[in-house]
Amino acid sequence: TSSLKQEASVGAEGKKKAVLPVGKARGFRGAWVTPALLLAAGLAFLGIFSTPPDSPAAEPVRQGLERVARLNPNSGKPQFALALLLEDRGSLSEAQVHYQRAVALEPGLAAAWFNQGNIQFKQGDYHEAEHCYRKVVELDPRHGAAYNNLGDALYKQDLYLGAEESYRKALGLDETRGSAHKNLGETLLRLQRY
């Protein structure tokens, strides 16, 4: 039995607290509101305020993010923000839909690919998780967490040599990454290389 250590989902800049500019749009009750402000409020809700994500107070944030997404149909960032909220609330299937929309609209959104990979991994779809993590490292070759998680997806598919390579790349980027050390050790045991 394996106990691989996955790296957690992240926000736009590697953190759950981020502001993603998306332009201006007509806001509520006739006032001009910047969608970025609504988006920022939603993202702030994820990490700055102490309101639990399953609280009734979270619903207006979701509605605001959905509105921003409708007002900016060609931007993946509002979809990404909505996916973060849904993932934080434990609605992984819904979050997955919005991550997929985000990367369809903005294929270069590495954080959305990363989080999408994490959901695929949690759901046991290791091949699709591998695809997502490969996309992340293609977009950002210095993304150590993506290399670690790519190694996990490969390990789960019994592709131990590829897993070893991915863990070593993760450690090459950050030798203090404890999860990659642990995962590499498990992989070397599987490969019977003590």
Side-chain angles (χ1 to χ4, degrees), residues 126-127 130 134 150-167 187 190-191:
Y126 306 120
H127 181 74
E130 174 192 349
R134 286 192 187 282
L150 173 59
D152 293 349
L154 293 168
Y155 183 99
K156 288 291 195 173
Q157 297 174 79
D158 299 328
L159 301 171
Y160 303 119
L161 292 175
E164 176 189 6
E165 180 182 347
S166 293
Y167 296 138
T187 303
R190 284 285 182 163
L191 291 169

Side-chain angles (χ1 to χ4, degrees), residues 47-60:
I48 297 172
F49 301 118
S50 60
T51 308
D54 57 349
S55 163
E59 194 53 33

